[in-house]
Amino acid sequence: MACVSEESCWGASSPPLHDMLSRRLNVKDDAAENGGEAEADDDSFLPSSFSVERMFPVYAMGFRSPDSDSVLYPAPNSGDPIWNAVKEEAKIEAEKEPILSSFLYASILSHDCLEQALAFVLANRLQNPTLLATQLLDTISDVIMHDRGIQRSIRLDVQAFKDRDPACLSYCSAVLYLKGYHALQSHRVAHVLWKNGRKVLALALQSRISEVFGIDIHPAAKIGEGILLDHGTGVVIGETAVVGNRVSLMHGVTLGGTGKEIGDRHPKVGDGALIGACVTILGNIRIGEGAMIAAGSLVLKDAPPHSMLAGTPAKVIGFIDEKHPSLTMKHDASKEFFEHVAVTFREGRSNGNISKAN
């Protein structure tokens, strides 16, 4: 019979789990402040029946500590504002929601750096009966802990989610719950495996990412940093696609080919572009830097830098002054703007061009 409460599992005299976890966290913090670690590893206050391994497929206490060659920041104590924020938010949430305390401890608070925590989260989300969490953890952590590019990207990406997605409550919530972030970081691992010649494993990881998150990104696709996959559901990015830095893509976006051709056949998206929901971009075409494409559009031709496109097939309806509309996330425009665009099109048809809309 399954346990229905902490008391029924451990006895009425045992303290609640979240209280014990809080004691452990306080011990670890005190030990760190005093320059020692002996007490921080003392689990004697935990009941003998307590086992995080039983609750989670992977428990990360066996992780190696980060060093100057394996993490973005020179030393564990040199300061990582993103990781510090994630830990503080997790502590607060553990106090507010005791039912999540063991989950937050195993996923965030037991780790030494963001790389370890993220590897743990991804491994547990992607594991299945034949692709074991322990195997995934070894693979993912080995890639992340030795790739400084990924270490930089995971921080810039989580900052992008925090800054641009109003539904993202905290850095911690992005790391733990947002599947767009998870799919993106899993792809980064698959991309490294692909480049290193481990293509079968990279494709297996891609397949699992697609099953779990509903986001299909070929492991060969090149994706920049500071990326937002808002919601992410239904996003498809082809093999030879390239996505620049600071790009925001809404759900249902397709960067695809136009048939059975081989070679370089997928779109190239410039820095700072904003791609609306359910936009389809097909073929080896270029979306210029800072371009904005309206939701539901079908893009078959190059988009000039800082242009605004809409329609099926999409046409340039004007230009915008913002350098990176992906950062402001303003998908709409004022009534005055569209009135100006309408006049511009009527006048442009007579002379064969479209003037810039301010």
Side-chain angles (χ1 to χ4, degrees):
M1 181 175 177
C3 296
V4 296
S5 69
E6 293 170 6
E7 288 189 357
S8 61
C9 286
W10 296 339
S13 61
S14 298
L17 175 60
H18 66 275
D19 289 347
M20 292 187 291
L21 293 180
S22 297
R23 285 178 54 194
R24 174 168 174 81
L25 292 174
N26 291 334
V27 168
K28 290 185 72 174
D29 290 343
D30 293 342
E33 291 177 1
N34 296 329
E37 297 184 356
E39 288 186 283
D41 292 327
D42 181 13
D43 291 326
S44 59
F45 61 86
L46 291 173
S48 58
S49 60
F50 174 74
S51 173
V52 180
E53 291 92 333
R54 295 189 326 187
M55 298 182 176
F56 300 94
V58 177
Y59 189 47
M61 293 305 291
F63 263 121
R64 60 185 177 278
S65 296
D67 55 51
S68 59
D69 294 327
S70 64
V71 295
L72 179 64
Y73 296 90
N77 296 324
S78 63
D80 180 347
I82 296 291
W83 176 235
N84 291 339
V86 170
K87 288 191 299 182
E88 288 304 314
E89 291 163 353
K91 289 179 182 179
I92 293 172
E93 291 305 315
E95 294 176 359
K96 290 169 55 179
E97 295 290 351
I99 194 173
L100 295 177
S101 58
S102 59
F103 166 71
L104 292 167
Y105 177 74
S107 300
I108 300 293
L109 298 171
S110 65
H111 302 283
D112 295 322
C113 62
L114 181 61
E115 287 79 6
Q116 292 179 356
L118 181 60
F120 177 89
V121 170
L122 296 181
N124 279 282
R125 295 217 63 182
L126 294 173
Q127 59 95 19
N128 67 12
T130 57
L131 199 58
L132 303 181
T134 50
Q135 297 170 327
L136 284 170
L137 180 61
D138 288 342
T139 299
I140 294 171
S141 61
D142 185 62
V143 170
I144 294 180
M145 296 293 284
H146 292 91
D147 192 303
R148 296 177 69 83
I150 290 183
Q151 292 163 12
R152 173 182 170 89
S153 295
I154 63 177
R155 290 169 170 83
L156 293 176
D157 291 342
V158 76
Q159 187 67 57
F161 276 78
K162 181 66 169 59
D163 290 345
R164 301 180 218 164
D165 182 1
C168 180
L169 301 177
S170 63
Y171 297 101
C172 182
S173 64
V175 172
L176 289 174
Y177 309 122
L178 297 189
K179 66 179 182 178
Y181 182 76
H182 293 163
L184 184 58
Q185 308 321 317
S186 301
H187 163 74
R188 296 194 187 284
V189 174
H191 183 66
V192 170
L193 295 173
W194 181 272
K195 291 194 302 180
N196 291 341
R198 305 176 70 181
K199 294 187 177 182
V200 174
L201 180 56
L203 289 171
L205 193 56
Q206 173 204 1
S207 175
R208 191 66 188 137
I209 294 167
S210 179
E211 291 176 14
V212 174
F213 303 124
I215 299 169
D216 196 350
I217 308 175
H218 193 283
K222 299 177 181 178
I223 299 181
E225 56 192 19
I227 304 298
L228 170 65
L229 292 184
D230 195 4
H231 298 291
T233 303
V235 167
V236 177
I237 300 179
E239 179 182 6
T240 61
V242 178
V243 178
N245 300 322
R246 300 175 298 281
V247 173
S248 294
L249 300 97
M250 304 301 105
H251 63 275
V253 169
T254 297
L255 305 181
T258 57
K260 297 176 66 177
E261 73 275 14
I262 60 175
D264 196 356
R265 61 194 184 278
H266 294 102
K268 313 297 182 283
V269 180
D271 295 350
L274 174 58
I275 314 298
C278 300
V279 166
T280 300
I281 307 173
L282 300 179
N284 185 15
I285 61 176
R286 296 190 175 276
I287 306 300
E289 178 180 352
M292 183 165 64
I293 303 178
S297 298
L298 170 63
V299 184
L300 301 174
K301 297 180 179 180
D302 290 354
H306 307 291
S307 60
M308 179 185 289
L309 279 71
T312 305
K315 297 180 180 179
V316 176
I317 63 171
F319 289 79
I320 55 179
D321 293 327
E322 293 179 73
K323 183 178 180 181
H324 293 145
S326 62
L327 303 184
T328 61
M329 298 293 288
K330 294 181 179 178
H331 297 267
D332 57 351
S334 65
K335 178 180 179 181
E336 292 76 13
F337 175 85
F338 283 110
E339 288 176 347
H340 180 61
V341 168
V343 173
T344 300
F345 264 104
R346 286 196 295 269
E347 295 176 349
R349 287 181 178 180
S350 62
N351 56 27
N353 58 36
I354 299 175
S355 61
K356 183 174 180 178
N358 295 318

